[in-house]
Amino acid sequence: MIKRIGILTGGGDCPGLNAVLRAVAKTAMFKYGWEVFGFRDGYRGFVLNQYMKFGPDDASGILDKGGTILGTSNRDNPFNFKVEENGEAVYKDMSDVAIENARALGIDCMIIIGGDGTLSSARDFWRKGLKVVGVPKTIDNDLSGTDFTFGFMTAVDTATDAIDKLHSTAESHHRVMILEVMGRYAGWIALKAGIAGGADVILVPEIPYDINKVAEKIMERKQAGKHFSIVVVAEGAKSVKGEVVVSKVIKDSPDPVRLGGIGNKIADEIEKITGIETRVTVLGHLQRGGRPIPYDRILSTRFGVAAVELVNRSEFGKMISLKGDVITAVPLEEAVEKIKTVPPDGELVRIAKSIGVGFGD
Ligand code: F6P
């Protein structure tokens, strides 16, 4: 018999997190009469026992709000957690402390909302005997256990809007405009926003580019009377002879590498080869902020309700998943095994190539 559940949001924030919290809290409290405890700032609050108990009004008025009312962190790994000992920072496995916090509060199971880092820890908690259900979140859409994560479509919407705006200024100034988007090692945001926004070149991590071929595409357009070009580049894109461009390394983060800077790198190269004035926009965290679009609000609500139903059926150790248009669940073990990347010869790349988009290959 479930009486109390815990919930946390981990990893980078993304639009739709509050919509999931709302769906979980409303279903758990009003449909089933359970109590809901939310841990603050992802696994940090779980380890440090910082939490809030959802009151009847806490899940109201948050459906359209960006971010997460619980807070989040993408640098706290409960299995390798930074603590201070004798004035020095040391890293310790604090997972037992977190499990004890849940036990002391009488929490019967945890609903953990996150991307692959957060859900890998959820899997490890499950292996240690904690009852968990995972909910897939990330603007990157790189989780292999689900067709879509919530937040992704909002990020694509934001990036598409940016491309639309870049078009008019690119055309007026006869420039090459480069838009660098997020996505880590997957090119989903670049590919979808690039197609939706009518980009001329899309560079994704899955298709290493040759800068000369990118320049050729731009020159071809110029010769055809099109004196501007739009290039969308994923932060994880790399050239045929190069590595990814790293902006910083955050030592205590479960995934320490932060990508960024490829936009400026290719801008210099394109300007040098083509002689066309080139400018860069790095969209950055705008892609993670703000209101979720209706698609993500609906998906988040479906995920949140489904997570509670899974708990009610005692189906633990699973992650909610969208397959086609059906909400289902997959074992956490499988869900975090590998990331989902863009198939280089998949339908989206093929249709983009058919209409003349260059991938630098
Ligand atoms: O995983 C989400 C994401 O926004 C990635 O697309 C990006 O590489 C990373 O997080 C940025 O992390 P941070 O918020 O630490 O800069």
Side-chain angles (χ1 to χ4, degrees), residues 12 74 138-140 182-184 235 250 258-259 285 288:
N74 64 0
T138 165
I139 61 160
D140 306 333
M182 284 184 164
R184 285 202 316 166
E235 62 181 359
I250 299 171
R258 294 293 180 275
L259 301 170
H285 293 81
R288 294 229 304 256

Side-chain angles (χ1 to χ4, degrees), residues 11-14 74 116 137-140 142 181-185 189 235 247-248 250 253 255 257-260 284-285 287-288:
D13 69 343
C14 101
N74 64 0
D116 69 334
K137 158 252 59 150
T138 165
I139 61 160
D140 306 333
D142 61 352
V181 297
M182 284 184 164
R184 285 202 316 166
Y185 302 100
I189 299 177
E235 62 181 359
S247 78
K248 60 167 77 174
I250 299 171
S253 173
D255 178 8
V257 174
R258 294 293 180 275
L259 301 170
H285 293 81
Q287 292 157 99
R288 294 229 304 256

Side-chain angles (χ1 to χ4, degrees), residues 176-179 200-201 203 214 218 229-233 266 270:
V176 175
M177 285 292 184
I178 294 171
L179 180 70
D200 306 301
V201 176
L203 303 179
V214 174
I218 293 165
S229 288
I230 303 284
V231 178
V232 177
V233 59
I266 61 167
I270 289 171

Side-chain angles (χ1 to χ4, degrees), residues 2 5-7 20-34 36 109 111 133-135 301-316 320:
I2 299 287
I5 61 168
I7 189 162
V20 178
L21 294 175
R22 169 180 177 268
V24 167
K26 286 195 176 206
T27 312
M29 293 192 298
F30 306 135
K31 181 173 173 190
Y32 289 115
W34 303 340
V36 181
C109 89
I111 293 181
V133 162
V135 179
T301 304
R302 294 174 81 190
F303 277 2
V305 172
V308 174
E309 297 299 351
L310 219 57
V311 171
N312 190 48
R313 295 198 303 271
S314 297
E315 285 187 42
F316 302 111
I320 300 298

Side-chain angles (χ1 to χ4, degrees), residues 9 37 148 253 282 304 317 320:
T9 54
F37 286 74
F148 284 105
S253 173
V282 180
I320 300 298

Side-chain angles (χ1 to χ4, degrees), residues 213-276:
K213 296 213 170 121
V214 174
E216 253 168 48
K217 168 59 67 184
I218 293 165
M219 292 313 282
E220 251 173 45
R221 282 177 52 78
K222 193 177 173 185
Q223 272 135 31
K226 291 173 177 153
H227 296 276
F228 73 95
S229 288
I230 303 284
V231 178
V232 177
V233 59
E235 62 181 359
K238 51 179 186 278
S239 85
V240 279
K241 39 184 182 226
E243 284 305 309
V244 286
V245 181
V246 173
S247 78
K248 60 167 77 174
V249 175
I250 299 171
K251 215 183 115 221
D252 52 349
S253 173
D255 178 8
V257 174
R258 294 293 180 275
L259 301 170
I262 182 87
N264 282 306
K265 176 177 149 51
I266 61 167
D268 288 346
E269 294 168 343
I270 289 171
E271 201 168 69
K272 210 181 273 165
I273 305 172
T274 65
I276 304 174

Side-chain angles (χ1 to χ4, degrees), residues 15-297:
L17 280 168
N18 283 324
V20 178
L21 294 175
R22 169 180 177 268
V24 167
K26 286 195 176 206
T27 312
M29 293 192 298
F30 306 135
K31 181 173 173 190
Y32 289 115
W34 303 340
E35 290 179 314
V36 181
F37 286 74
F39 288 95
R40 306 243 183 229
D41 302 328
Y43 287 123
R44 164 156 287 271
F46 198 26
V47 169
L48 302 179
N49 208 23
Q50 293 161 346
Y51 60 86
M52 65 173 268
K53 181 170 183 261
F54 276 81
D57 294 331
D58 287 324
S60 295
I62 60 171
L63 174 62
D64 63 340
K65 283 205 166 69
T68 157
I69 57 165
L70 289 179
T72 189
S73 159
N74 64 0
R75 50 195 304 170
D76 293 304
N77 177 355
F79 293 85
N80 190 31
F81 194 82
K82 187 175 170 186
V83 287
E84 243 189 57
E85 267 181 10
N86 307 321
E88 277 197 14
V90 288
Y91 290 85
K92 281 190 148 179
D93 181 354
M94 299 292 274
S95 55
D96 286 334
V97 175
I99 292 174
E100 178 49 31
N101 290 339
R103 201 203 54 76
L105 281 170
I107 286 172
D108 302 300
C109 89
M110 286 292 298
I111 293 181
I112 296 180
I113 310 168
D116 69 334
T118 303
L119 293 177
S120 296
S121 294
R123 175 208 54 202
D124 295 342
F125 275 119
W126 166 242
R127 284 179 179 166
K128 291 189 86 162
L130 184 71
K131 291 175 179 155
V132 297
V133 162
V135 179
K137 158 252 59 150
T138 165
I139 61 160
D140 306 333
N141 198 36
D142 61 352
L143 280 167
S144 61
T146 182
D147 288 355
F148 284 105
T149 49
F150 67 87
F152 167 64
M153 285 300 199
T154 302
V156 170
D157 191 62
T158 302
T160 304
D161 181 51
I163 300 169
D164 289 348
K165 287 176 174 148
L166 289 174
H167 255 109
S168 57
T169 171
E171 201 164 356
S172 308
H173 284 267
H174 318 296
R175 282 174 170 164
V176 175
M177 285 292 184
I178 294 171
L179 180 70
E180 179 182 313
V181 297
M182 284 184 164
R184 285 202 316 166
Y185 302 100
W188 294 109
I189 299 177
L191 180 61
K192 291 229 171 176
I195 293 173
D200 306 301
V201 176
I202 302 173
L203 303 179
V204 293
E206 297 84 351
I207 306 175
Y209 66 85
D210 175 341
I211 199 67
N212 292 308
K213 296 213 170 121
V214 174
E216 253 168 48
K217 168 59 67 184
I218 293 165
M219 292 313 282
E220 251 173 45
R221 282 177 52 78
K222 193 177 173 185
Q223 272 135 31
K226 291 173 177 153
H227 296 276
F228 73 95
S229 288
I230 303 284
V231 178
V232 177
V233 59
E235 62 181 359
K238 51 179 186 278
S239 85
V240 279
K241 39 184 182 226
E243 284 305 309
V244 286
V245 181
V246 173
S247 78
K248 60 167 77 174
V249 175
I250 299 171
K251 215 183 115 221
D252 52 349
S253 173
D255 178 8
V257 174
R258 294 293 180 275
L259 301 170
I262 182 87
N264 282 306
K265 176 177 149 51
I266 61 167
D268 288 346
E269 294 168 343
I270 289 171
E271 201 168 69
K272 210 181 273 165
I273 305 172
T274 65
I276 304 174
E277 205 174 31
T278 303
R279 294 285 188 271
V280 184
T281 301
V282 180
L283 203 50
H285 293 81
L286 284 176
Q287 292 157 99
R288 294 229 304 256
R291 307 163 73 215
I293 60 168
Y295 177 88
D296 279 331
R297 296 183 200 188

